[in-house]
Each structure stands twice: as C-alpha cells, then as structure tokens.
C-alpha cells in the first residue's frame, strides 16, 4: 500500500481510503480531496536525468508529508505525475488553505530549481455527505481542469453548491459539450451598464458584456466555471468570436450603433 519512491500511500491504498471516507456517512460529514498533477516531467528527466527527477518527486512528497500533521490528513502518490491529499472533517476555508500552502511550497521549490519547464496545477473538491467516490474524483478533476487555465501552481476549488447543481463532467465530456454550444451558437449575453458622472447627472458610459451558457438542466453556467476549462481546451477564441458576433447583431437590430460595449477577450484571441 506504499509508493516505493516517496513512501506515500499508493493508488490502491488511496482508492480504499477514499471509498471508506465517502461511505462512512455517520463519521464524516465534510472534507476535501486535493489533487495535484504535473506536466513536462519526461522532458525534465531527459534533460537532467533519472536521479534528478527522483529527487524532485521526493521533495514534492516532503511537502505533502509536512502538511499531513494530524490523523485527518493523508497523502498519496497516484501515478508518475499525480499526487493527492485527502482531508476529513475540514471546512472550505481550511481546504483552500491546504491548496494555498501547497502552491506556495511549490513556488518556493521551483525558485531553487533552474532550467525546468515543469508545470503543475491543483484541484480541490469539497466533500459533502452523499457524494460518491467517483463523484468526488470527478469534481476534483473539474477543479484541476479549471486551474489549468490559470498560472502555474494555481489552484481552483470546486464548491459543493456547484457540484450539487451542475452535472459533473470529465474533460472529454466538457470538450464535447462546449463544442456543441459553439456549433449551435447557444450562448447568452448579459449586459450591465457602467455609469459616469457628467454635468447633467449620471449617464451610461458603456455596457459590460457577460457570457453565460446553459447547463442543460434549465439553469445558466457562470463564466467563472466554464471559461477556465474552455481556455484549457483552446476553445475561447471561438467563444469570443460568438460573443462579438452577437453583440454586433444586437446593436444592429436594436439601433444601438452609438452604444459602447466592453467585452473581455481571451489573450489567445488577441494574438
């Protein structure tokens, strides 16, 4: 049940502990699953050698071990490039604090490692009574996907409210779902006026444009949930094009050619 390199729990032991956590509903009412995954480890191994990679992974394990300072926390190495931390009986703020602690430790570690292009991101899924092991894993994966759209060492927390009201999707399912939204042009725009003070009083200076998409269950998804995933899947340029087309169409149809609109575009759309 132990990973031979890092001495952390291995994947088999993680699966057992996760199942026990989600099935012991009388013992655990809340908690969190924190998952961290790396990219570009093979390139680092090729450039610096096997021993350098092993040393790096052991230092990652030491970060997790230092955080697991009580019986409510347990750490695991799930694969060559993935680690996990299971925290039982912890609240949202504590869970986010764990992710931030890992992020800061990773930044400090990388500050002392020259010539590497390793990237890592952290996903946090908050557990509430009733979630199955698979649902918690999928929620952590969604959080990780969202973090991937941000800077290196970033983390994203998947809220229990979002998990309850939004269908949990894998990366493949998200790609298919967002692609279909684009093909159908099925986006919803919200317009919020921004005012400025003039000699005659407060007047509308421009309208900010906010993007929403349907969640397939009668509600709308906030951009904060799906945009990081769309960025990671290289779909934001297509969403930006749809937004601009709809803004222009609305301006033409409603004789709003003199109105000003502020649209937040992805950096990829500006390149």
């Amino acid at each position: 049940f132990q990973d031979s390199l890092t001495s952390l729990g291995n994947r088999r032991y993680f699966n057992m502990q996760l199942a026990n956590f989600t099935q012991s509903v009388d013992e655990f009412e809340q908690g969190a699953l924190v998952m961290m995954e790396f990219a570009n480890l093979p390139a680092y191994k090729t450039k610096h050698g096997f021993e350098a990679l092993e040393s790096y992974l052991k230092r990652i394990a030491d970060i997790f071990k230092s955080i697991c300072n009580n019986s409510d926390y347990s750490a695991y190495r799930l694969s060559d490039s993935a680690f996990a931390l299971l925290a039982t009986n912890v609240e949202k703020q504590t869970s986010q604090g764990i992710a931030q602690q890992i992020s800061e430790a990773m930044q400090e570690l990388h500050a002392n490692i020259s010539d590497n292009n390793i990237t890592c991101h952290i996903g946090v899924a908050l557990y509430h009574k009733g979630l199955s092991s698979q649902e918690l894993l999928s929620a952590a994966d969604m959080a990780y996907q969202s973090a991937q759209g941000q800077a290196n060492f970033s983390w994203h927390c998947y809220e229990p409210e979002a998990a309850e009201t939004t269908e949990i999707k894998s990366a493949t399912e998200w790609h298919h779902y967002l692609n279909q939204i684009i093909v159908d042009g099925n986006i919803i725009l919200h317009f919020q006026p921004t005012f400025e003070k003039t000699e005659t009083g407060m007047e509308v200076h421009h309208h900010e444009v906010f993007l929403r998409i349907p969640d397939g269950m009668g509600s709308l998804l906030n951009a904060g949930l799906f945009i990081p995933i769309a960025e990671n899947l290289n779909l934001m340029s297509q969403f930006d094009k749809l937004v601009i087309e709809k803004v222009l169409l609305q301006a033409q149809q409603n004789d709003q050619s003199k109105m000003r609109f502020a649209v937040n575009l992805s950096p990829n759309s500006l390149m």
Side-chain angles (χ1 to χ4, degrees):
F1 297 123
Q2 192 175 73
D3 177 66
S4 58
L5 176 65
T6 64
S7 299
L8 298 178
N10 61 18
R11 181 78 195 217
R12 184 182 177 190
Y13 189 51
F14 167 76
N15 289 338
M16 292 172 56
Q17 294 299 101
L18 182 64
N20 177 66
F21 173 49
T22 56
Q23 292 170 12
S24 303
V25 292
D26 293 331
E27 185 176 358
F28 306 116
E29 293 192 0
Q30 59 185 358
L33 173 59
V34 181
M35 297 185 69
M36 181 171 72
E37 193 161 346
F38 297 87
N40 301 322
L41 287 182
Y44 183 80
K45 176 183 174 183
T46 300
K47 192 164 190 176
H48 298 281
F50 184 74
E51 289 186 358
L53 177 60
E54 282 197 336
S55 175
Y56 175 78
L57 292 172
K58 287 178 180 178
R59 294 168 75 179
I60 302 301
D62 288 341
I63 291 173
F64 278 76
K65 290 174 184 176
S66 68
I67 295 173
C68 295
N69 52 13
N70 65 62
S71 60
D72 287 332
Y73 299 169
S74 53
Y76 311 86
R77 186 184 180 203
L78 304 184
S79 68
D80 290 343
S81 59
F83 290 76
L85 188 151
L86 191 59
T88 60
N89 295 319
V90 297
E91 298 178 346
K92 172 183 174 181
Q93 187 173 358
T94 302
S95 303
Q96 293 178 328
I98 293 171
Q100 183 62 29
Q101 191 175 348
I102 295 173
S103 174
E104 291 175 356
M106 288 300 302
Q107 292 178 56
E108 183 178 347
L109 172 61
H110 273 242
N112 298 311
I113 299 179
S114 60
D115 193 23
N116 80 86
N117 61 346
I118 296 172
T119 62
C120 78
H121 295 87
I122 304 160
V124 184
L126 300 182
Y127 170 79
H128 61 82
K129 188 182 292 188
L131 276 182
S132 67
S133 296
Q134 188 55 51
E135 287 172 331
L136 189 58
L137 279 169
S138 296
D141 181 59
M142 285 182 68
Y144 169 74
Q145 292 175 55
S146 295
Q148 279 186 298
Q150 304 172 40
N152 200 10
F153 313 119
S154 295
W155 57 269
H156 184 85
C157 183
Y158 201 90
E159 301 275 358
E161 293 79 11
E164 291 166 359
T165 59
T166 304
E167 180 185 359
I168 297 174
K169 298 177 176 64
S170 67
T172 301
E173 290 170 332
W174 267 115
H175 196 280
H176 175 76
Y177 185 75
L178 294 177
N179 257 322
Q180 195 60 51
I181 291 287
I182 292 168
V183 170
D184 296 339
N186 192 17
I187 64 171
I188 294 91
L189 302 182
H190 290 175
F191 297 87
Q192 180 175 303
T194 298
F195 295 88
E196 67 173 350
K197 189 175 183 179
T198 67
E199 294 179 354
T200 58
M202 300 298 292
E203 294 184 1
V204 175
H205 180 264
H206 67 271
H207 285 77
E208 288 205 42
V209 181
F210 296 97
L211 173 62
R212 303 287 186 269
I213 63 173
D215 66 354
M217 295 181 289
S219 299
L220 296 179
L221 288 181
N222 191 291
L225 175 62
F226 72 87
I227 281 183
I229 298 173
E231 288 275 13
N232 185 49
L233 296 173
N234 296 317
L235 295 174
M236 271 314 299
S237 294
Q238 297 174 66
F239 272 108
D240 286 344
K241 182 181 178 182
L242 273 178
V243 170
I244 292 172
E245 288 175 348
K246 286 218 168 190
V247 168
L248 293 175
L249 181 62
Q250 174 148 335
Q252 293 169 358
Q253 290 177 340
N254 297 287
D255 191 25
Q256 296 174 335
S257 57
K258 294 183 179 180
M259 288 184 61
R260 287 178 286 192
F261 298 93
V263 180
N264 291 316
L265 299 177
S266 165
N268 291 332
S269 298
L270 303 174
M271 297 176 64

